[in-house]
């Protein structure tokens, strides 16, 4: 039984006492708990640089005494921190942060809206950790890599704007400062992460020829992903909402899809029209042979009991884009841009606005990039002047 176990936050960290080993090589070693790999790991100090056996024994005695004293004081060789607070459970930290924000709101230091925004962002952070299976157990693991990965998740998987991503980065910086002040971490890693330039997204809608090529390719290679692409193009349902849809959310009789409130980005239930072409493909794929509680997209993008993993649409899109040698500006979300453009051209911007669930036509217009060429009808227009 190892002695000297100590409790830091919620993390029980153990070690064995250092020992001298002699033979062909002389060394002192011991084992300590590595919180990252979640197992005991060996630490070894070689003594071969000492010329004589006497010098080696003297050096070994000094090492054993020093290491033992440091271990008793809470030192862990596998944690790059100078305080046992760095080993506080990250779950406990988020709970304490929530309590802190609620307390600041109650005292009037934070406005209710600000407190609500901060707590909402904690929820988004927890969703990221859960959905992406991120291993963060202790305070010191709140580092630059964790922060960058979370912000990339917002941009690439949640498709937030650069402004929203930057707002999250600012919030994370306040969290980092809060952690430093309470000695959970030594420095704020968010300070090393730069803001994004808030400009138009590097994404463009697909041409008619590209859409036709995509349909031809997926008909031959992956018809279930073709269904996901057609859903994005015709219904404008966001990728993250799409993966939450169940068979029971689709009404064949009404030819519409219900996006539940707990799935929708704005937390409001909405109904979107379902194009006949999509229904025909669903029929060919025998989608409605599955129970209503099945997710529309699960393993292999077929209906099933488990929701398709977060990056699957993006992964399949990248594979297809490489096969078709498309530019990176053609993204999975480009299908929504293309669908809004084509529906607006065919039926008007108001119809496109309603199908997309936009609150204002100005939002819809952001998806309608204007052609730089001047229409001939403008040149031949006969006004009254």
């Amino acid at each position: 039984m190892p002695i000297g176990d100590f409790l830091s936050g919620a993390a029980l960290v153990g070690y064995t006492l250092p020992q001298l080993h002699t033979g062909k090589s002389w060394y002192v070693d011991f084992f300590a708990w590595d919180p990252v790999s979640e197992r005991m790991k060996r630490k070894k100090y070689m003594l071969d640089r000492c010329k004589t056996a006497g010098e080696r024994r003297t050096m070994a005695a000094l090492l054993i005494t020093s290491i033992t004293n440091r271990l008793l004081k809470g030192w862990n060789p596998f944690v790059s921190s100078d305080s046992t607070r760095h080993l506080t459970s990250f779950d406990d930290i988020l709970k304490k942060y929530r309590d802190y924000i609620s307390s600041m709101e109650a005292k009037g230091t934070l406005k209710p809206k600000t407190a609500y925004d901060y707590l909402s962002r904690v929820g988004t952070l927890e969703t990221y950790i859960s959905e992406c299976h991120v291993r963060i157990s202790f305070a010191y693991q709140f580092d630059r890599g964790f922060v960058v990965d979370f912000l990339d998740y917002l941009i690439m998987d949640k498709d937030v704007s650069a402004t929203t991503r930057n707002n999250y980065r600012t919030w994370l910086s306040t969290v980092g400062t809060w952690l430093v002040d309470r000695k959970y971490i030594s420095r704020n890693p968010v300070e090393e992460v730069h803001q994004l330039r808030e400009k138009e997204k590097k994404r463009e809608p697909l041409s008619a020829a590209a859409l036709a090529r995509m349909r031809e390719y997926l008909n031959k290679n992956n018809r279930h992903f073709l269904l996901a692409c057609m859903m994005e193009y015709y219904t404008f349902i966001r990728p993250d909402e799409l993966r939450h849809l169940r068979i029971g959310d689709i009404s064949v009789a009404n030819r519409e899809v219900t996006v539940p409130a707990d799935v929708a980005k704005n937390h409001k239930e909405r109904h979107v029209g379902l194009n006949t072409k999509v229904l025909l493909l669903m029929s060919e794929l025998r989608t409605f042979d599955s129970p209503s509680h099945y997710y529309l997209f699960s393993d292999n993008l077929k209906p099933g009991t488990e929701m398709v993993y977060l990056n699957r649409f993006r992964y399949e899109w990248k594979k297809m884009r490489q096969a078709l040698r498309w530019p990176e500006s053609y993204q999975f979300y480009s299908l929504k841009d293309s669908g809004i453009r084509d529906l607006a051209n065919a039926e008007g911007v108001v119809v496109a606005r309603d199908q997309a669930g936009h609150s204002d036509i100005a939002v819809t217009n952001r998806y309608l990039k204007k052609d730089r060429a001047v229409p001939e009808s403008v040149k031949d227009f006969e006004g009254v002047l």
Side-chain angles (χ1 to χ4, degrees):
M1 170 75 72
I3 64 172
D5 289 348
F6 67 90
L7 188 65
S8 176
L12 186 64
V13 181
Y15 55 82
T16 62
L17 291 176
Q19 295 181 348
L20 170 64
H21 299 268
T22 61
K24 184 176 182 180
S25 292
W26 288 47
Y27 59 90
V28 170
D29 74 346
F30 65 97
F31 287 82
W33 180 257
D34 177 15
V36 176
S37 62
E38 296 184 350
R39 63 183 179 87
M40 297 289 282
K41 285 180 63 176
R42 186 187 193 189
K43 186 70 176 177
K44 189 175 179 181
Y45 296 89
M46 302 301 298
L47 300 172
D48 292 341
R49 287 180 297 176
C50 299
K51 301 299 183 183
T52 67
E55 289 177 346
R56 291 176 182 179
R57 290 189 184 280
T58 300
M59 180 59 69
L62 292 172
L63 271 174
I64 289 172
T65 300
S66 174
I67 292 170
T68 300
N69 288 335
R70 294 176 71 189
L71 288 171
L72 288 170
K73 292 178 182 179
W75 172 67
N76 186 316
F78 303 114
V79 177
S80 57
S81 60
D82 56 5
S83 168
T84 56
R85 276 204 165 200
H86 293 167
L87 287 170
T88 303
S89 162
F90 195 70
D91 288 340
D92 285 351
I93 283 176
L94 291 183
K95 182 180 183 302
K96 291 176 182 177
Y97 178 78
R98 276 197 172 93
D99 292 342
Y100 171 78
I101 295 300
S102 297
S103 176
M104 291 299 99
E105 180 189 6
K107 297 180 188 309
T109 303
L110 281 180
K111 295 180 180 179
K113 184 181 184 305
T114 302
Y116 175 84
D117 288 344
Y118 284 5
L119 295 177
S120 175
R121 287 170 184 169
V122 174
T124 302
L125 183 65
E126 289 176 324
T127 299
Y128 160 69
I129 293 172
S130 173
E131 288 188 344
C132 296
H133 307 291
V134 177
R135 295 187 65 182
I136 177 166
S137 303
F138 306 104
Y140 77 91
Q141 291 173 308
F142 182 86
D143 55 17
R144 183 181 180 183
F146 173 80
V147 170
V148 170
D149 287 346
F150 173 57
L151 295 176
D152 284 349
Y153 156 84
L154 295 174
I155 283 286
M156 295 187 289
D157 296 313
K158 292 297 183 180
D159 195 54
V160 304
S161 65
T163 300
T164 300
R165 179 267 190 198
N166 288 341
N167 288 340
Y168 266 91
R169 185 257 173 216
T170 301
W171 167 70
L172 283 172
S173 185
T174 67
V175 174
T177 300
W178 184 84
L179 291 170
V180 170
D181 289 345
R182 286 150 187 80
K183 298 188 181 300
Y184 291 124
I185 57 177
S186 300
R187 59 187 179 82
N188 187 352
V190 188
E191 293 176 355
E192 304 170 4
V193 180
H194 300 297
Q195 298 273 44
L196 289 184
R197 289 183 60 188
E198 297 179 9
K199 60 181 182 180
E200 189 175 9
K201 295 178 183 177
K202 186 181 178 182
R203 187 181 76 214
E204 60 179 333
L206 279 68
S207 66
L211 288 167
R213 181 74 183 93
M214 180 191 73
R215 183 180 183 89
E216 177 187 3
Y217 175 84
L218 292 180
N219 254 324
K220 294 179 180 178
N221 296 281
N222 193 338
R223 301 194 79 209
H224 289 280
F225 183 53
L226 174 60
L227 176 60
C229 292
M230 291 181 70
M231 287 288 289
E232 189 66 28
Y233 174 81
Y234 284 109
T235 68
F236 314 151
I237 296 174
R238 298 176 181 89
D240 190 54
E241 297 172 341
L242 197 60
R243 58 191 287 268
H244 284 81
L245 290 183
R246 299 178 187 267
I247 302 296
D249 295 324
I250 302 170
S251 171
V252 177
N254 296 329
R255 289 200 306 165
E256 68 179 27
V257 180
T258 298
V259 181
D262 61 340
V263 170
K265 182 179 179 180
N266 61 2
H267 305 295
K268 294 181 181 179
E269 180 181 292
R270 74 177 190 275
H271 304 274
V272 298
L274 193 58
N275 190 277
T276 302
K277 291 182 179 179
V278 182
L279 280 172
L280 287 174
L281 180 57
M282 287 180 171
S283 177
E284 293 170 9
L285 296 175
R286 306 182 69 87
T287 298
F288 299 108
D289 288 357
S290 301
S292 62
H293 69 278
Y294 271 28
Y295 288 102
L296 178 59
F297 298 104
S298 184
D299 293 339
N300 298 317
L301 296 176
K302 299 177 181 179
T305 56
E306 299 294 328
M307 185 192 310
V308 66
Y309 68 81
L310 186 67
N311 301 329
R312 184 60 185 273
F313 296 139
R314 187 151 53 90
Y315 169 78
E316 294 294 342
W317 181 268
K318 183 178 180 180
K319 188 165 64 172
M320 179 190 69
R321 185 175 63 198
Q322 291 175 342
L324 298 178
R325 298 182 179 180
W326 280 353
E328 289 192 6
S329 56
Y330 277 6
Q331 301 172 17
F332 182 68
Y333 215 67
S334 295
L335 291 166
K336 181 176 181 178
D337 301 340
S338 309
I340 291 177
R341 173 202 64 198
D342 294 345
L343 182 60
N345 288 338
E347 303 296 336
V349 70
V350 174
V351 174
R353 176 202 65 188
D354 293 342
Q355 175 75 344
H358 293 155
S359 58
D360 192 280
I361 285 180
V363 178
T364 312
N365 281 332
R366 295 176 191 168
Y367 290 82
L368 307 179
K369 296 184 178 181
K370 302 296 186 294
D371 193 331
R372 293 184 179 181
V374 179
E376 291 299 318
S377 58
V378 173
K379 300 175 182 178
D380 298 330
F381 170 65
E382 293 187 14
V384 296
L385 182 60

